[in-house]
Amino acid sequence: MGSAQFHWIGRGRLALGVILSLFFLVPCSQALAAPAEIGGLTVTLPDAATGWRKAGKGNLFMLQKDFPETEDDKRGNALIQITKPLPAARSSLQAGMKTFVATLPDMAKEDILVKHYGVTVNGYDIRVEERCCVHQKNVSISQIVVGVAGDRQQAYLQLVLLNVNGDRSRSAEADFATLVRSVKLDPSDKDFDLVPASEDGGLDGVFTHLDTGLRPNVFGGMDFYSDSTITTFDPKGLFSTELPKGGRSITEHCKETPTDCGLYTLTGGGFFSSAGSIEMRSVTSAYGTIEIETKIFSKKGEDLLIADADHRAVPPFDEGTTLDGEWVSTFASSGMTATSSGSVASSHTLRLHRNGTFERIGWSGASLTNEIGGSQSGVTTSSNRPGASGRYKLSGYRLDLTDVSGKTETMSIFAPDKGSDGLLVINGNNYLKDDGK
């Protein structure tokens, strides 16, 4: 990548000055059209009704969104900047990212907080880097930079947030992620979607794997976890790491929540052979980054062995199945540092009866203490969940709870232990059956 192609990027201090000047300017009112073509690059812009508008001039295509001052938040701005495609080899993407990040030189000194990399649905390399926070002129600045590279050209996009955090930040990031997923370097590129190829697929059903270990918590301690993770395989080639909720199909679920999903291909044998491999192409971020992994695969009766881990087939509940008992889901986490300690706990109980009725109750509590300069302060809080009762319905991997007012809540459900209802996984949470002992 020649320096001439990035001559405009070298003016880092000037770029930062432009960004800050946009923060202090009175907004313009130019409307947006979607999709847009930017020097050969095609993107789908946010709808003008969301508040984004075109801003600035020069080598960068820029969008701006203003957030007014409120009782809780300062005035803020979000900027999206997009380059025209630049001639460069695919292998230079990482170096190009460093150059583009340097448009905000002080931000380039910050550590990368979040990083995603992989390929797009169109086979381009993609990198995403998030950095925070630089303060200038009483403005807090954070940055998300994305680079997309094909064999002969690249494009760079960034989201710059000025005094934008919380829900405002999440909203701007979601708009930016949607825009990034729409990037097309070539007119023949397809829209972002998980569409299986003809060679994909070959499995059908829900499979569970017991994952245990220790992980850090927010209080500085370690929590033991025991999760019955699941993988749902569609015979055409989709897979999901979550059960679709609300009666949706896996195709509908993956369109709404692609980061739960991916595509798979059986290679080196296949479903009916004793051994082989499975290629899993997982969507790892809202930006459409796809990570490709090839794992050892074999079939053991109705179960699967993937990367030396057992994945047991989980049969669906027959329609109209009823259960009898009380299942409890509990959570507790605690830890301490040199100056603070904290803990949180919760418990939820679900009672199911053979006659198709249910009751449920729950509670949660938390405590936190801090010691500063020899003085100690703390807070303790707890609450009970209002009880509910009504009728339930089991079908497949779906549990419908209809309370006495007629309101229905739909949740995912499966029993990971074959022939036993001692453990139910409901909406991803473990519910252990209370045998009364």
Side-chain angles (χ1 to χ4, degrees), residues 380-398:
T380 300
T381 181
S382 63
S383 63
N384 292 320
R385 174 175 180 165
S389 62
R391 301 197 63 81
Y392 72 93
K393 180 181 179 181
L394 274 170
S395 178
Y397 304 100
R398 172 175 173 168

Side-chain angles (χ1 to χ4, degrees), residues 156-170:
Y156 294 87
L157 309 90
Q158 75 171 338
L159 173 69
V160 181
L161 300 176
L162 306 137
N163 284 347
V164 176
N165 49 42
D167 289 341
R168 291 176 161 186
S169 173
R170 285 184 285 273

Side-chain angles (χ1 to χ4, degrees), residues 196 200-205 232-240 250-251 264:
D200 292 339
L203 300 175
D204 189 13
T232 302
F233 289 103
D234 174 80
K236 293 183 179 180
L238 277 173
F239 75 86
S240 172
I250 187 172
T251 301
Y264 73 94

Side-chain angles (χ1 to χ4, degrees), residues 123-416:
Y124 301 125
D125 289 348
I126 179 172
R127 292 181 67 90
V128 181
E129 298 179 0
E130 301 184 22
R131 291 174 172 84
C132 181
C133 295
V134 168
H135 293 83
Q136 291 198 7
K137 297 184 179 179
N138 296 318
V139 178
S140 173
I141 308 170
S142 60
Q143 175 196 53
I144 302 174
V145 173
V146 179
V148 181
D151 292 331
R152 295 182 299 275
Q153 59 181 353
Q154 302 174 359
Y156 294 87
L157 309 90
Q158 75 171 338
L159 173 69
V160 181
L161 300 176
L162 306 137
N163 284 347
V164 176
N165 49 42
D167 289 341
R168 291 176 161 186
S169 173
R170 285 184 285 273
S171 172
E173 290 173 25
D175 289 340
F176 181 60
T178 300
L179 187 151
V180 170
R181 291 198 305 270
S182 75
V183 167
K184 297 179 182 178
L185 284 177
D186 188 270
S188 64
D189 289 343
K190 62 183 180 181
D191 293 329
F192 176 85
D193 198 3
L194 292 175
V195 180
S198 58
E199 65 271 17
D200 292 339
L203 300 175
D204 189 13
V206 176
F207 299 83
T208 183
H209 165 66
L210 183 62
D211 181 26
T212 61
L214 293 172
R215 57 189 168 208
N217 60 43
V218 296
F219 303 113
M222 300 293 291
D223 292 338
F224 173 78
Y225 68 90
S226 178
D227 295 332
S228 295
T229 63
I230 71 107
T231 307
T232 302
F233 289 103
D234 174 80
K236 293 183 179 180
L238 277 173
F239 75 86
S240 172
T241 56
E242 296 287 342
L243 282 170
K245 297 180 177 65
R248 292 188 292 272
S249 67
I250 187 172
T251 301
E252 293 168 330
H253 173 73
C254 290
K255 280 186 177 294
E256 295 174 7
T257 319
T259 51
D260 289 344
C261 299
L263 300 165
Y264 73 94
T265 306
L266 298 176
T267 58
F271 188 72
F272 296 104
S273 65
S274 59
S277 60
I278 183 170
E279 180 187 87
M280 303 185 76
R281 309 186 296 279
S282 307
V283 180
T284 57
S285 77
Y287 302 96
T289 54
I290 296 174
E291 181 179 319
I292 303 174
E293 295 180 286
T294 300
K295 305 176 182 180
I296 297 172
F297 168 85
S298 62
K299 191 168 187 290
K300 299 167 58 178
E302 295 181 346
D303 302 330
L304 306 177
L305 186 67
I306 301 176
D308 296 325
D310 288 317
H311 292 253
R312 293 178 296 173
V314 179
F317 287 100
D318 293 332
E319 185 167 0
T321 296
T322 58
L323 301 175
D324 188 48
E326 179 176 288
W327 287 263
V328 181
S329 174
T330 58
F331 172 80
S333 180
S334 63
M336 62 185 304
T337 66
T339 59
S340 66
S341 64
S343 64
V344 62
S346 65
S347 177
H348 300 279
T349 299
L350 176 65
R351 300 186 185 98
L352 301 176
H353 305 286
R354 290 288 181 198
N355 62 2
T357 61
F358 80 91
E359 301 94 32
R360 62 174 174 170
I361 56 174
W363 62 267
S364 61
S367 65
L368 180 67
T369 60
N370 285 286
E371 186 172 337
I372 301 176
S375 63
Q376 190 177 79
S377 62
V379 61
T380 300
T381 181
S382 63
S383 63
N384 292 320
R385 174 175 180 165
S389 62
R391 301 197 63 81
Y392 72 93
K393 180 181 179 181
L394 274 170
S395 178
Y397 304 100
R398 172 175 173 168
L399 172 64
D400 291 333
L401 301 179
T402 303
D403 63 23
V404 292
S405 71
K407 181 181 177 181
T408 298
E409 182 179 357
T410 299
M411 297 177 285
S412 63
I413 185 172
F414 68 93

